[in-house]
Each structure stands twice: as structure tokens, then as C-alpha cells.
Amino acid sequence: MFSLGCDAVPLDSVEPELARVDPAPLSSTFVMPTAEEVADLRSWRDEETPVPATELIDGDLRPWLTSSRIALTIDEARVAVPDAETDRVVVFDADTLERLGDVKIQGQPEELLTLPDGQIAVACRGGSQVAIVDPVSLRVTHWIPTGAAPRGMALTPDGKTLFVASFAEARVDAFNLEDGEPLWSTRVEASPLAVAVDSAGKGIFVTHLRGRELTELSPATGKIVRQRPLRGEKDRTPSMARALVPLSNGRMMVPYALASTGSRDPKRIVTSGTYGGSSVDFEVDTTPLVTTGVLMIDARCGRDCDSAATIKRPGYRVVAGTSLDSPASVVAAARHKDGAVVLVDQAAGQLALVDGVAFGEDSLHVDVLPTDAGPGAAVFTRNGESLFVVSWVNRGLTRLDTHDMRNDALRQASAQRASYAEEARGKILPPPVEGAGVLVEPPPTATPAIDTSNDLEVGRRLFHTLDASTSTLGVTCASCHPDGLDDGRTWVQGVGPRQTPSLAGRVGGTGPFNWLGSETTLEANLAKTIHRLNGQGLTEDQTRALATYIQEGLPKDGVVLATRELDAKSRRGKDLFMSEEVGCATCHDPAQGFTDGLRHDIGSTSALEKELFAAQRQARVPEGFDRVPSTRIAFDTPSLGGVGQTAPYFHDGRARTLREVLTTYNEGDTMGKTSHLSPEDLDALVAYLETL
């Protein structure tokens, strides 16, 4: 039988004395510890067992094949959790969950990778480095310089070569782990996120947050071997693959999102009133906008061997009358020794269990296990008897005692839950559980209380978790704005196609808001968005809290590039940007967050929209939905912060690259004077834009 027990502690229930804080600034030079320091750092090892971990741990159970936002040390005595908001990694005792201390790390530590020698690699998304941390002495032993905003990491099966994806620079780098020397660097498609090496060591696999394909590279040379497409289905497009799960025999499981972005038929658009909803005049269709698909890769052969399935379970999650049949937002995954895989569904606050062995081309059955609000990552012990889960929202760590993960007893399990240190985090209660572990809609009197004393805490919860007050379409703010960024999609709304804008670092002081610039405050725009998503509405305090979190709590990935010294090419691009001859800064004023706060008609209204606007002016448009302006159509000037990582471009996502923005879609020089620029000057201008 499957049995379950639970211990939980908040990440900041106790403020421990920092054991050792590395006082040195981030260095671009790799520094090796002395022999004495190495001996001291590894003194915890059992001297009678000198066999290296790379030989003791079998194939796909090697924890260094991919990184996560939680990590067990190689001896499984400690568990580490990154806290990017406070620049630290918190270390707990794996048996007692006693908080052993913190390691202060500059640069928003986010991804962790267990290393065979007992240390942990920490990718700092707010910087350009990976920190190597000893979890016993609680200190940084050295740094490895990387590209900007490093995210996913992985090691070869022999533990000798480290691979790091640079999100902001769209590249993957390889390093010799022993001395930190770079081996190769390869440019890849935009927004590389998760990285994994298959258990056979045949290939490196890279997901892309906004892309519809995986990139496969050669571990030896970094050469791109092939692109492996994610599989869509009728009326649903794939993207946002945020996790990779190495399995046995060179296989790899890849969960991703399937989104229904709406019809491009003007008659259907104008009568839906939401994101491609129903065919009845502004009657909201509550069909979930996002479901989950899974791609199974076999690294031993090409993409013809790949197979895909969707995840289906009627009544998987019920929120305010909307039934989800599939995980709403898979942000991470963990593999059990028997081949079962736990998908971490952040939005629904659940763990979805799928079988990584019996994989078919149809839909996958999923068992569910409720957990705490906003789970962000999970990891199994190698014997499969414990599962650790970290919550982004409650900022807590939970241990589940697990046994037979491969039988149907999971559906009969009930969760025993520990308290959440309410005095530290506010009274945020766990969701109710009924019967087979399926989360059901709670009665109004059982709605988890929200502590309104801390806007960032309240806003974080509203942004990341399913709540009928914000949407009844099975999505959260984070569904379209993962980590405050964007999903790379163009959604069809009541006024036409609208590309998802990135939020992180681009909202404060950049009003008016939305593509039509119809709202002067962020709070008013949030209220309109919630209405469009069929949400029941937030209180004034909750709206303020959500706006505060969006402006202050989201990570700011672009900062690391903006603070770098420009090279000669980028300096030339900046001169062009600021010049009257080109005129970019006229509307994208650096002093105002690279916007002017005005609306402009640059001739970007498409034929589809003109047809739509004509139809909508004759339709019944209820209060709360965007209306077509009676005057000429103009669009708000977007901020250019982080613009190099926010493709596609324009309000309708028509341009795939910045170069297309400056050339193909700037006929008549309606958006800056670029037609006279040489290819070299265009390259320079693009290079500068990519540093913002």
C-alpha cells in the first residue's frame, strides 16, 4: 500500500545566525580552494567509503543529470532550497527538517544541482555566475562565470562536465567541473530554460520557455544535433516546457503547456468577449485555456522515435464550477526510482503522478496528491521513500513519506499535514482534501484566509495560484507570465490578437496600460483583465497587493545585462538609438523606462483587426470588455526593458525578431527612421536593444 506522512516547515520561521557569509564581490575569475580547504569541506564523508558517487549511483538515478529549485545532497543528509527574493540558499536536515543555516549568495539564486563530490551548484539568475556551495560548512567555495541570467544546469553521467543555459543571452556553455575552465559555448533559440543530459550521456536537451521545440546538442562539441518539436493538438498550441525528466535507457520525459489561444475568425472573436471563448454573444466559455501535454524522447534515435500524449483525468481540479481535466501549470518534475514521475502543478497546488514506463500515444492517466499552495519543485530520495516539496507561495518545505508509487493505492491516500508556522507567514491554510486526494471546490466559509498585512505575500499567492476571484478559466497570472515574463503567445481577445507582454521590471512608471493604453493605473488594468478571465473580482486591498507584487516582487532578469559595459558594437547601436537621425529615443525615452506613455498609430493595424473593428462596432459589448475606440486606432508605446528576450513583437506578435521590427515591419519609417541604415548599423542597433 501507498502510505503518506508529512512534515512541513516554513523557510523563514526562524532567522538563524548566518554561518558564513562570503564577503567577496562576484568575481569573473574561477578560484580553486586550497588542498586544506578541500579536505576540510569534505571531512563529513565516510572515510571508509572512498568510492566516488559516480560509481555508486546507477544511471538515471544520478541526481546531477538535471537541476531543480530544490536539491538533496549526495549523501541525502541535507536538503537545500533557494530563496531568490532574499539572495540566500536555505539548508535543512533531511531527517528532522531542522533548519541548519543559510548561505548568502548575491544574484538571485534559483536553480540547484547536486554535485557528486557533495557540493551544490547554484545558478544565479540575477547575475552571470554559478556558485559552488558546500552545504556542510555553509559557504561558497568558488564561482564559475557564465552567460547572463543562468537557469538550467546539468552534468554528464560521469560528473565531469557542467552545462549551463544562459536565459538572457540564449546560449549554452560547457565547463570542466574540476577546474572551471570553459569548454565550448553555443548560441541556441531564445529563452533557454531547463537543461538535462540523458542517462546514457548521448545528448544534452534544452527547453525554451517561449518556444515550441527542444534543442538537442552534442555533449562533446556543443553542436546542435536537431530540434525536437513539441506536439500540439487541435486548437491548442504547445510551449512553456519548464522541466526535463531523465528516465532509464536514454529516455526523457518533457511536460509542457497546451494553450487554446482563440479563433482568428472575426465573427467568433467579436462574439466571444474573452480569450477565444464561446460562440454566444459575450457569454463566457469556461473551458480551461491551458492543459498539459507530455513528450517522451528516446535519445538513442531521432525525433521520429518521439511520442506524445495529453494528460487527462476528469475532475482533476474543480475551481468555482470550472473542472480541470489536466494539470494547469507544470513548473517542475521529480522522478521516482520505479519510473513514476511527479509533475509539480503550481497553479492547482497538486502533484500529478504519471507513469514514466507505460507511456502510450493517447492520453495519460494521472493520480493526484494535494500539497501546499504554489508548489515550485520536488525531489525524491533515491530509495523512493521520501519526497520533498518546496512551496513558492507559503515559502515552506514539506516532506512526504512515500512507498509504493506504482500502484493504485495513491488514489486512496489522504494527506497528513503539519502546521505552517502561521505566526511567521500569516494564516494561509492548506486547501481542503476530499476522498481520493482530489482537490474540490471549498465552500465559501472554508476559503483560505489571506493575511492582508503584507502586500507582497498576498500578491504572490494571487499571482501564482488558482483562485476564483482572479479567473475561472483554469489559469493564473503566472500561466501567461511565468516568473513575471511572458509565454511568447499571441492570444485572441475581444479586440483582436494580443501578444503577451513581459511584466518583470517593465511595469512601474510605464503607464498607461494594455496595448490600447486604455487604463491609466495598473490596478484598473488588473480589474479589466480579471473581468475578461471571468474572475469574480478582487477587493481593493487585494488588487493593491497584486499590483505591488507585480511591480516589486517579480524578478528583474534584464538588470544583469543593463549593468554590463557595452562593447564597441553596442555603443554604436546606442548612439544610433539616441540620435535624431534614427529617433528611437523620441518615443522610447530611457528616462521614462524606455516609453513615452503615449499612444501612436504606426500603421500596424492589420486587415483582420479592421474587419474585426467594423464588426464589433455593431455588436453588443458589455461593460468591462475592451471596446474599439471611435477615433483612429493607436497603440501604447511599450517599454523596451528586456526587449531582447520578449519575442514576438508588436501588439499582435507579427515580428519574430528585432531585425524584422526594424526592417520588414517598418515600411515608411513610421516607427523610427531605419530604412537608410546599413546592415552593419542594423546589427549594431539590434545589439544595443539586446542589452536593455
Side-chain angles (χ1 to χ4, degrees), residues 111-178:
E111 285 280 324
L112 306 180
L113 181 67
T114 300
L115 302 181
D117 67 354
Q119 299 190 92
I120 295 174
V122 184
C124 302
R125 69 176 288 179
S128 301
Q129 67 283 328
V130 166
I132 306 300
V133 171
D134 177 64
V136 177
S137 66
L138 299 174
R139 59 177 289 188
V140 176
T141 64
H142 52 270
W143 304 89
I144 299 178
T146 67
R151 301 292 282 270
M153 299 178 288
L155 280 178
T156 47
D158 62 9
K160 294 181 179 180
T161 305
L162 173 69
F163 306 108
V164 183
S166 167
F167 187 88
E169 295 189 66
R171 77 187 209 206
V172 176
D173 298 314
F175 302 91
N176 184 321
L177 186 61
E178 184 176 357

Side-chain angles (χ1 to χ4, degrees), residues 413-495:
S414 61
Q416 301 172 0
R417 317 184 69 83
S419 66
Y420 252 83
E422 295 173 0
E423 70 280 4
R425 306 309 306 171
K427 295 183 178 181
I428 302 177
L429 306 176
V433 181
E434 180 177 290
V438 179
L439 294 181
V440 297
E441 180 182 359
T445 56
T447 301
I450 297 179
D451 176 15
T452 58
S453 64
N454 188 321
D455 282 352
L456 285 177
E457 298 295 329
V458 176
R460 181 189 296 110
R461 184 175 185 274
L462 291 170
F463 191 89
H464 289 288
T465 60
L466 288 175
D467 193 309
S469 61
T470 55
S471 174
T472 57
L473 302 181
V475 293
T476 67
C477 302
S479 298
C480 299
H481 301 282
D483 294 339
L485 302 174
D486 65 271
D487 58 8
R489 293 191 177 102
T490 299
W491 296 82
V492 180
Q493 304 176 12
V495 290

Side-chain angles (χ1 to χ4, degrees), residues 275-408:
Y275 289 92
S278 73
S279 58
V280 180
D281 194 18
F282 284 94
E283 178 180 316
V284 176
D285 180 0
T286 57
T287 301
L289 295 176
V290 179
T291 59
T292 296
V294 175
L295 182 70
M296 187 69 80
I297 290 172
D298 189 334
R300 298 168 298 180
C301 59
R303 61 188 185 186
D304 291 341
C305 298
D306 297 350
S307 58
T310 54
I311 295 180
K312 303 280 187 183
R313 173 175 175 164
Y316 167 82
R317 177 75 157 100
V318 180
V319 182
T322 300
S323 178
L324 304 182
D325 295 343
S326 174
S329 177
V330 175
V331 298
R335 183 260 162 101
H336 186 267
K337 69 180 182 66
D338 290 338
V341 175
V342 160
L343 305 179
V344 180
D345 185 352
Q346 181 190 75
Q350 292 192 156
L351 304 176
L353 182 72
V354 298
D355 195 331
V357 178
F359 190 90
E361 285 279 352
D362 198 1
S363 63
L364 286 175
H365 177 77
V366 56
D367 286 314
V368 292
L369 181 64
T371 185
D372 301 307
V379 62
F380 279 104
T381 53
R382 287 191 295 277
N383 63 12
E385 294 184 359
S386 292
L387 174 66
F388 295 88
V389 184
V390 64
S391 166
W392 286 348
V393 171
N394 287 352
R395 300 166 68 78
L397 176 66
T398 301
R399 186 188 66 215
L400 306 175
D401 294 326
T402 57
H403 292 291
D404 189 356
M405 295 290 290
R406 294 290 302 281
N407 66 29
D408 292 338

Side-chain angles (χ1 to χ4, degrees), residues 6 88 98 129 145 201 220 372 405 410 412 445 461 473 482 501 548 587 612:
C6 176
R88 60 183 176 163
E98 174 189 358
Q129 67 283 328
D372 301 307
M405 295 290 290
L410 176 61
Q412 303 168 9
T445 56
R461 184 175 185 274
L473 302 181
T548 299
C587 297
L612 165 64

Side-chain angles (χ1 to χ4, degrees), residues 6 65 84 95 101 116 142 144 420 550 573 579 595 618 621 649 671:
C6 176
L65 296 180
D95 291 327
H142 52 270
I144 299 178
Y420 252 83
I550 290 172
S579 70
T595 181
Q618 303 177 30
V621 183
Y649 303 102
M671 191 178 61

Side-chain angles (χ1 to χ4, degrees), residues 458-642:
V458 176
R460 181 189 296 110
R461 184 175 185 274
L462 291 170
F463 191 89
H464 289 288
T465 60
L466 288 175
D467 193 309
S469 61
T470 55
S471 174
T472 57
L473 302 181
V475 293
T476 67
C477 302
S479 298
C480 299
H481 301 282
D483 294 339
L485 302 174
D486 65 271
D487 58 8
R489 293 191 177 102
T490 299
W491 296 82
V492 180
Q493 304 176 12
V495 290
R498 293 292 180 264
Q499 181 255 335
T500 305
S502 185
L503 302 179
R506 304 180 76 197
V507 176
T510 61
F513 299 94
N514 70 53
W515 280 108
L516 289 176
S518 62
E519 303 302 329
T520 58
T521 68
L522 179 58
E523 288 81 358
N525 196 61
L526 288 173
K528 176 170 286 188
T529 301
I530 288 169
H531 186 87
R532 189 166 59 243
L533 291 172
N534 201 37
Q536 297 173 358
L538 298 176
T539 67
E540 182 178 342
D541 287 345
Q542 289 172 330
T543 303
R544 184 194 66 244
L546 182 56
T548 299
Y549 178 73
I550 290 172
Q551 294 179 90
E552 302 176 13
L554 293 173
K556 298 174 177 60
D557 283 346
V559 173
V560 62
L561 287 174
T563 55
R564 284 186 171 183
E565 183 177 349
L566 299 180
D567 59 19
K569 185 177 182 179
S570 299
R571 287 196 300 272
R572 169 61 179 162
K574 181 178 181 180
D575 290 342
L576 291 168
F577 184 92
M578 300 299 298
S579 70
E580 293 184 5
E581 177 188 13
V582 176
C584 299
T586 303
C587 297
H588 296 283
D589 184 357
Q592 299 184 54
F594 290 96
T595 181
D596 59 2
L598 300 175
R599 296 165 58 240
H600 299 277
D601 179 4
I602 57 172
S604 60
T605 306
S606 65
L608 168 67
E609 288 171 299
K610 291 176 181 178
E611 185 179 355
L612 165 64
F613 295 158
Q616 197 204 52
R617 289 191 178 102
Q618 303 177 30
R620 176 176 61 86
V621 183
E623 191 67 31
F625 289 101
D626 287 328
R627 300 165 184 259
V628 177
S630 57
T631 58
R632 69 176 187 169
I633 305 302
F635 295 97
D636 179 54
T637 305
S639 168
L640 297 184

